[in-house]
Amino acid sequence: MVSLDLLKSLSLVSPTKIILLVIDGLGGLPRPETGKTELETAKTPNLDRLAASGVCGLSDPVGPGITPGSSPAHMALFGYDPVVSNIGRGVLEIVGIDFDLQPGDVVARGNFCTADKTGLVTDRRAGRIPSEKCVELCRLLDGLVIENVEILVRPVREHRFAVVFRGEGLSSEVSDSDPQQVGAPPKIVSALAIKAARTARIANQFVAQAEVILVGHFPANMILLRGFSQRPVWPTMGEIYKLTPAAVVSYPMYRGLARLVGMDVLSTGNGIEEEFRTLIQNYKKYDFFFLHIKGADAAGEDGDFDRKVAVIEQVDQAVTGLIRLQPDVIVVTGDHSTPALLHAHSWHPVPVLLSSHWCRPDGVKEFSELACIDGGLGRLPATNIMSLVMAHALKLKKFGA
Amino acid sequence: MVSLDLLKSLSLVSPTKIILLVIDGLGGLPRPETGKTELETAKTPNLDRLAASGVCGLSDPVGPGITPGSSPAHMALFGYDPVVSNIGRGVLEIVGIDFDLQPGDVVARGNFCTADKTGLVTDRRAGRIPSEKCVELCRLLDGLVIENVEILVRPVREHRFAVVFRGEGLSSEVSDSDPQQVGAPPKIVSALAIKAARTARIANQFVAQAEVILVGHFPANMILLRGFSQRPVWPTMGEIYKLTPAAVVSYPMYRGLARLVGMDVLSTGNGIEEEFRTLIQNYKKYDFFFLHIKGADAAGEDGDFDRKVAVIEQVDQAVTGLIRLQPDVIVVTGDHSTPALLHAHSWHPVPVLLSSHWCRPDGVKEFSELACIDGGLGRLPATNIMSLVMAHALKLKKFGA
């Protein structure tokens, strides 16, 4: 991949506009009866037209053979090394509930649990209390201030919550309080580095106060914390590419990821048409749009070949609205493959199409896995897509003299 | 390439089985009269069928334009960086004679030479004594013990032998005794690092004792040592991939290489059919087989186009025995190209075919250099093959969340 430093030194502000349309889990495997994948089965006249006038290829999100999670797969699409920029579990948890994490915040994943009279944990999940109960208990714990550190508590689901410690000089280098077994007491949170001593002390005070607050809320009468982590420090897309980027995303985790790379996350609805409408309405205000469609991945994970086909066809219809905007670059791709046959993410490379006035067209006439093999982009690491996009939008200067 | 650390963190044990069939020197160049390479000339209905149902590509063993030796070419196929893992000459020499090198052993290449009465070397190769004489002299030197270090001496060919120093705390950081010219005395072996002082002392004592033992064996009355090296330290295939790997290989150097990456090396015969039979007989005991066929490379180096064609056709017939085993992944490739027209290894990329229930088929209908250009694997570094193999065998977890 081209280094972010090099891209930063070459990128320039220009009035050209880019749309990155990510159909989550786009790549598939052929259904044995027809020999055609989901994308090959779908009727996609508009995407085919874009492919015919554009340049296509197949991308590896993390590396050949590696099945990516959604988070590294998206980081690669945004141009970041997906292994180096892999995000801690605690941060993903909070990012996944649409929380605006700040630099310096320390996050931990939390469980409500059951402790007996002697303080031993008897159920690490407090009998999986209902999510509504979790919301209610989080409200009791939220907003405490210990040693000038604000403690924000957010429900996730059932017994799970996330806690954010916000203040000066915090460190995530502390150990878990979760003993990971029943019959043991919660552990004391310990500093794993000298600079983390204060954070450990505050975390232990928080646990102690939570124990008092939760008295009478059996079975959820104690908490366990684990996976302390901090928002990773990396340059934003604005800094690297000098873009003013916006994300149109309905699914919380991706909204969080978009925020972590410095995108404005626009309010939108859950449906495909609503997302496209949101983009169109905000088209003048930004020069880069990350438009994320979750449905194809969800259908693939459910093993529902036909539903995945239907989602792709729906996107194909909606894409005419984007073409009408005449953006300088439209890229259509997935973050990874999710073949319905596998009911899961997979390692198979992902079709990419790049349409622009300045692309050198290849012989690809339709947008499909098979056709993309012969595409002019060849087989490329997903991290290369952003530099290609920037080039085709004439947003990169010449390197060297 | 995907790092071995990442693969190690993602690999898991599963009951699926993998066969890596390496036709040494597989890639070729077209014969001018027909415009077809050796592989394209050979009748290979079975390999063609595998190619049609599988996914194909062309691989670069070390890098585009680099003609590899057999050792780095195989290291790349096993997933190791072929430049980083390049093996010292002394180790290759001993590995090439099927010697079971242990961690800590120090190896040197040896020459029997001729010294005059004043101790000056008059012939560095002792008149190229016959190999049988070498065997006899090695027997005289083999088995000495100096300062608790056992010294093993093995004949290679003509005046060449290998010596292994086996004991605690040895180091290969010592200089050669070979003066690389006649008219000079053998050099004293010197330590190039403090920790190597004892090894140098022992090597010098060995040379002195050899001089005494070889009195009366003119022209082979002295020895010269060079290229001290140690078995490289790298993780085994068991450690990286959690495989239980076996090698079916008749040619000694490849047996040695397979041992160095932690494979069980099975006893087998010299013929292609015997090798295939050995694999089939041991199929239940292992989950990864490296099956190595030397004949195609030897024919290529001899410039014998037709013999190379015949070897490939023989493999094509035998491959039906592997298909019948229904392994989860079969890969057929070469370690490098050896075009008969060049009489030598070459830099041309090597055809690869990967057949598995979980591959996304491409449009390739036959196994040939020309057809593989359009394969779904594209053009790939050979180091990527193992991560793809592992993925298709469902032996890799998802990366990231």
Side-chain angles (χ1 to χ4, degrees):
Chain A
M1 63 180 286
V2 178
S3 80
L4 296 184
D5 281 342
L6 181 56
L7 285 171
K8 191 173 171 180
S9 73
L10 300 178
S11 62
L12 41 83
V13 178
S14 85
T16 57
K17 301 218 180 214
I18 299 164
I19 297 174
L20 171 64
L21 168 55
V22 177
I23 304 173
D24 202 305
L26 176 64
L29 280 175
R31 182 178 247 175
E33 302 85 48
T34 63
K36 286 178 189 286
T37 66
E38 298 89 327
L39 178 59
E40 289 159 7
T41 305
K43 283 188 185 52
T44 54
N46 299 302
L47 293 174
D48 293 346
R49 211 156 26 235
L50 280 181
S53 66
V55 59
C56 291
L58 286 169
S59 85
D60 290 291
V62 174
I66 305 301
T67 297
S70 299
S71 145
H74 274 84
M75 290 308 294
L77 283 179
F78 302 150
Y80 299 76
D81 182 314
V83 176
V84 171
S85 69
N86 198 22
I87 302 171
R89 282 283 189 166
V91 171
L92 267 189
E93 189 88 296
I94 195 89
V95 148
I97 55 171
D98 222 355
F99 183 90
D100 189 10
L101 201 61
Q102 300 294 314
D105 287 355
V106 166
V107 202
R109 305 169 78 191
N111 274 13
F112 288 104
C113 72
T114 311
D116 67 14
K117 279 177 192 165
T118 64
L120 302 182
V121 176
T122 57
D123 182 344
R124 287 184 56 252
R125 298 181 183 84
R128 292 192 183 273
I129 50 168
S131 298
E132 306 76 57
K133 182 73 184 170
C134 185
V135 171
E136 174 197 328
L137 295 176
C138 285
R139 222 171 273 143
L140 296 177
L141 301 182
D142 183 44
L144 292 174
V145 177
I146 300 173
E147 295 190 25
N148 283 323
V149 170
E150 196 183 355
I151 297 173
L152 307 167
V153 181
R154 296 288 178 274
V156 176
R157 205 200 311 184
E158 294 178 336
H159 55 287
R160 285 162 46 208
F161 63 89
V163 53
V164 176
F165 298 86
R166 179 168 290 170
E168 295 293 311
L170 296 173
S171 162
S172 59
E173 293 182 58
V174 299
S175 64
D176 295 352
S177 80
D178 189 340
Q180 295 285 349
Q181 55 178 331
V182 294
K187 291 180 176 175
I188 303 293
V189 176
S190 315
L192 303 175
I194 292 171
K195 64 173 178 182
R198 179 163 162 261
T199 309
R201 194 172 61 231
I202 292 169
N204 286 318
Q205 288 181 53
F206 171 62
V207 172
Q209 295 198 18
E211 190 175 10
V212 173
I213 292 168
L214 294 173
V215 161
H217 288 279
F218 181 90
N221 61 355
M222 187 48 177
I223 62 168
L224 301 174
L225 303 180
R226 67 185 191 283
F228 286 84
S229 51
Q230 270 176 303
R231 181 185 163 142
V233 179
W234 49 45
T236 64
M237 290 184 78
E239 286 161 354
I240 302 163
Y241 305 115
K242 302 189 182 77
L243 294 168
T244 307
V248 184
V249 185
S250 61
Y251 206 82
M253 199 194 79
Y254 307 91
R255 300 168 67 87
L257 274 176
R259 255 189 222 106
L260 286 181
V261 295
M263 296 191 203
D264 273 7
V265 176
L266 306 179
S267 294
T268 188
N270 263 317
I272 291 178
E273 284 171 25
E274 277 168 285
E275 289 194 37
F276 277 78
R277 205 178 308 129
T278 301
L279 189 156
I280 293 164
Q281 284 163 354
N282 288 273
Y283 188 66
K284 290 207 175 139
K285 284 190 270 178
Y286 300 91
D287 57 7
F288 179 92
F289 292 88
F290 160 51
L291 175 56
H292 179 262
I293 307 296
K294 179 69 180 166
D297 177 61
E301 294 216 323
D302 290 347
D304 192 335
F305 194 102
D306 294 327
R307 180 153 58 91
K308 192 171 160 191
V309 170
V311 172
I312 295 169
E313 292 185 344
Q314 213 184 329
V315 172
D316 183 77
Q317 286 305 308
V319 92
T320 54
L322 303 187
I323 295 170
R324 231 173 280 128
L325 296 171
Q326 299 188 284
D328 298 271
V329 179
I330 298 185
V331 174
V332 185
T333 188
D335 53 343
H336 52 74
S337 294
T338 307
L341 262 71
L342 274 168
H343 291 246
H345 292 197
S346 81
W347 63 90
H348 300 88
V350 187
V352 193
L353 93 69
L354 189 159
S355 171
S356 145
H357 182 64
W358 297 115
C359 67
R360 183 197 286 156
D362 48 30
V364 176
K365 297 281 174 261
E366 59 168 48
F367 192 44
S368 75
E369 287 88 346
L370 193 61
C372 283
I373 292 175
D374 297 323
L377 296 176
R379 176 126 176 201
L380 73 164
T383 45
N384 286 352
I385 293 173
M386 267 306 292
S387 48
L388 287 163
V389 164
M390 289 289 291
H392 285 85
L394 306 182
K395 287 183 191 289
L396 290 182
K397 284 183 291 193
K398 183 165 72 173
F399 170 69
Chain B
M1 64 180 286
V2 178
S3 79
L4 295 184
D5 281 343
L6 182 58
L7 286 172
K8 193 173 171 180
S9 74
L10 299 177
S11 62
L12 41 85
V13 178
S14 86
T16 57
K17 300 214 181 217
I18 298 164
I19 297 174
L20 171 64
L21 168 55
V22 177
I23 305 173
D24 202 305
L26 176 64
L29 281 175
R31 182 179 247 173
E33 302 84 49
T34 63
K36 284 178 190 284
T37 68
E38 299 89 327
L39 177 59
E40 287 158 9
T41 305
K43 282 189 184 52
T44 54
N46 299 301
L47 292 175
D48 292 347
R49 208 152 33 229
L50 281 180
S53 67
V55 60
C56 292
L58 286 170
S59 85
D60 290 291
V62 173
I66 306 301
T67 297
S70 298
S71 146
H74 274 83
M75 290 307 295
L77 283 178
F78 303 150
Y80 298 77
D81 183 314
V83 176
V84 172
S85 69
N86 198 22
I87 301 172
R89 280 286 190 162
V91 170
L92 265 190
E93 189 88 294
I94 196 89
V95 148
I97 57 172
D98 221 355
F99 182 90
D100 189 11
L101 200 63
Q102 302 292 315
D105 288 353
V106 167
V107 203
R109 306 169 79 190
N111 273 14
F112 288 105
C113 72
T114 310
D116 67 13
K117 279 176 190 166
T118 64
L120 302 182
V121 176
T122 57
D123 182 343
R124 286 184 59 252
R125 298 181 183 83
R128 290 191 184 274
I129 51 167
S131 298
E132 306 77 56
K133 183 71 184 172
C134 184
V135 171
E136 175 197 327
L137 295 177
C138 284
R139 223 172 271 142
L140 297 177
L141 301 183
D142 183 45
L144 292 173
V145 176
I146 299 172
E147 293 190 24
N148 282 324
V149 169
E150 198 183 354
I151 297 172
L152 307 167
V153 181
R154 295 288 179 274
V156 176
R157 207 200 309 186
E158 297 177 334
H159 56 285
R160 284 162 47 207
F161 64 90
V163 52
V164 176
F165 298 86
R166 178 169 290 169
E168 294 295 311
L170 296 173
S171 163
S172 60
E173 293 183 58
V174 298
S175 64
D176 296 352
S177 81
D178 190 339
Q180 295 286 349
Q181 56 177 327
V182 294
K187 291 180 174 177
I188 302 293
V189 175
S190 314
L192 303 175
I194 293 171
K195 63 175 179 179
R198 179 164 162 260
T199 309
R201 194 169 64 230
I202 292 170
N204 287 317
Q205 289 182 53
F206 171 62
V207 172
Q209 294 197 21
E211 189 175 9
V212 173
I213 292 168
L214 294 174
V215 162
H217 288 279
F218 182 89
N221 62 355
M222 187 49 178
I223 61 169
L224 301 174
L225 303 180
R226 67 185 191 285
F228 286 84
S229 51
Q230 271 178 304
R231 181 184 163 143
V233 179
W234 50 45
T236 64
M237 290 185 77
E239 287 162 352
I240 301 162
Y241 304 115
K242 302 187 183 78
L243 294 168
T244 307
V248 185
V249 184
S250 60
Y251 205 82
M253 197 194 81
Y254 306 91
R255 300 168 66 88
L257 273 177
R259 257 190 219 103
L260 287 180
V261 296
M263 295 192 204
D264 273 7
V265 176
L266 306 180
S267 295
T268 188
N270 262 316
I272 291 178
E273 283 171 25
E274 278 169 281
E275 287 194 37
F276 277 79
R277 204 178 309 129
T278 302
L279 189 157
I280 292 165
Q281 284 163 353
N282 287 276
Y283 188 65
K284 289 207 176 142
K285 285 190 270 181
Y286 300 91
D287 56 8
F288 179 92
F289 293 88
F290 160 50
L291 175 55
H292 178 264
I293 307 297
K294 180 66 181 166
D297 177 61
E301 295 216 321
D302 290 347
D304 192 335
F305 193 101
D306 293 328
R307 179 152 59 90
K308 191 171 160 191
V309 170
V311 172
I312 295 169
E313 291 185 344
Q314 214 183 326
V315 172
D316 183 77
Q317 286 305 307
V319 92
T320 55
L322 303 187
I323 296 169
R324 229 172 281 130
L325 296 170
Q326 299 187 285
D328 298 271
V329 178
I330 299 184
V331 174
V332 186
T333 188
D335 52 343
H336 52 73
S337 294
T338 308
L341 264 72
L342 274 169
H343 291 247
H345 293 197
S346 80
W347 62 91
H348 301 89
V350 187
V352 193
L353 92 71
L354 189 161
S355 171
S356 148
H357 182 65
W358 296 114
C359 65
R360 185 197 283 159
D362 49 31
V364 176
K365 296 282 174 260
E366 60 169 46
F367 191 45
S368 74
E369 287 88 344
L370 193 61
C372 283
I373 293 176
D374 297 324
L377 295 177
R379 176 125 175 201
L380 73 164
T383 45
N384 284 352
I385 293 174
M386 269 305 293
S387 50
L388 287 163
V389 164
M390 289 287 292
H392 285 85
L394 306 182
K395 287 183 192 288
L396 290 181
K397 284 182 291 194
K398 185 165 74 171
F399 170 68

